[in-house]
Amino acid sequence: KAGVTQTPRYLIKTRGQQVTLSCSPISGHRSVSWYQQTPGQGLQFLFEYFSETQRNKGNFPGRFSGRQFSNSRSEMNVSTLELGDSALYLCASSSRDGMNTEAFFGQGTRLTVV
Amino acid sequence: AQSVSQHNHHVILSEAASLELGCNYSYGGTVNLFWYVQYPGQHLQLLLKYFSGDPLVKGIKGFEAEFIKSKFSFNLRKPSVQWSDTAEYFCAVNARAAGNKLTFGGGTRVLVKP
């Protein structure tokens, strides 16, 4: 069974640009969550999508957005990039709706904003 | 809002020493508890999980954790570490009312000297 796949693995963008990251969950999983990992702030929850609906949202500005498609694949978009957005962005998929389930993480997309 | 704290940021041990990492969370409702590990250059992997039942849970690679509800704690233990246990360890909590949103502790970097 293939794991969670994130593309691209590495990305370099310039301040002010926008970026889209992609996540393919494990087959059959309907929940996709996104996290930002930085040395200073650790792992922080961005948002969760379940059956194409955003179910949870973390404390990030509106520049961070996401969506989920009918095949459960998800994309995350960051507009007007800032230097502080440089981070490892992790996607996790879960098979159920939060009851006694675990999250499986992808390798992440390393975003560098210059 | 829930929060998770890990007591140690860095731990240095010699091989065969015992390891215990502390984790406390604050949340008044029912939670699921996890320990994840991130080996150098690899993605987050689940070590063990607690949903309900026996508060002493066993995970992979000889790790175990004990849930003490009265102390809101979920401490990770391993009786005898190996050099290959060098990694960063994250405690995480999922409030069952919050879908699949995970709140992570700050992580503990463990270095095992051969």
Side-chain angles (χ1 to χ4, degrees):
Chain A
K1 199 174 186 180
V4 179
T5 304
Q6 291 187 245
T7 57
R9 290 292 309 279
Y10 302 92
L11 212 44
I12 299 175
K13 289 288 188 179
T14 305
R15 263 184 308 176
Q17 286 186 311
Q18 67 129 19
V19 68
T20 299
L21 313 182
S22 180
C23 172
S24 293
I26 292 171
S27 178
H29 285 194
R30 294 195 296 161
S31 167
V32 174
S33 300
W34 289 89
Y35 294 84
Q36 182 194 65
Q37 186 176 22
T38 60
Q41 300 297 317
L43 279 152
Q44 293 188 290
F45 173 80
L46 280 154
F47 28 66
E48 181 204 1
Y49 286 86
F50 182 78
S51 294
E52 301 179 67
T53 301
Q54 187 181 86
R55 180 160 66 175
N56 273 303
K57 191 176 189 310
N59 296 324
F60 280 82
R63 300 185 296 108
F64 291 81
S65 63
R67 58 178 175 169
Q68 186 180 34
F69 302 96
S70 58
N71 61 359
S72 293
R73 191 177 70 84
S74 177
E75 287 182 347
M76 189 192 106
N77 184 275
V78 188
S79 62
T80 320
L81 284 165
E82 300 177 0
L83 295 179
D85 297 332
S86 294
L88 181 66
Y89 289 90
L90 296 173
C91 169
S93 78
S94 302
S95 63
R96 293 166 68 176
D97 63 0
M99 291 295 294
N100 298 350
T101 188
E102 64 196 71
F104 296 85
F105 285 82
Q107 296 269 27
T109 294
R110 172 79 59 189
L111 172 65
T112 302
V113 182
V114 298
Chain B
Q2 63 218 55
S3 65
V4 180
S5 64
Q6 292 182 235
H7 310 312
N8 308 96
H9 296 296
H10 294 91
V11 172
I12 301 173
L13 312 167
S14 296
E15 276 192 314
S18 64
L19 172 70
E20 179 159 1
L21 302 182
C23 171
N24 284 89
Y25 69 93
S26 70
Y27 182 72
T30 305
V31 295
N32 297 320
L33 298 157
F34 307 87
W35 276 96
Y36 282 88
V37 61
Q38 192 170 35
Y39 297 104
Q42 296 189 28
H43 63 286
L44 275 169
Q45 300 171 42
L46 183 69
L47 266 183
L48 46 77
K49 59 195 177 191
Y50 174 80
F51 295 145
S52 63
D54 188 345
L56 185 61
V57 292
K58 295 193 184 298
I60 60 172
K61 305 187 180 187
F63 285 90
E64 64 179 32
E66 184 177 12
F67 171 48
I68 303 179
K69 191 174 180 180
S70 61
K71 295 184 178 180
F72 297 89
S73 70
F74 190 55
N75 294 347
L76 180 71
R77 296 193 290 256
K78 185 170 184 177
S80 176
V81 296
Q82 301 173 313
W83 175 79
S84 57
D85 293 322
T86 293
E88 189 161 16
Y89 294 79
F90 295 92
C91 180
V93 170
N94 158 231
R96 291 199 188 168
N100 284 313
K101 174 184 175 181
L102 286 170
T103 299
F104 284 88
T108 299
R109 288 186 185 272
V110 173
L111 172 62
V112 180
K113 294 180 176 179

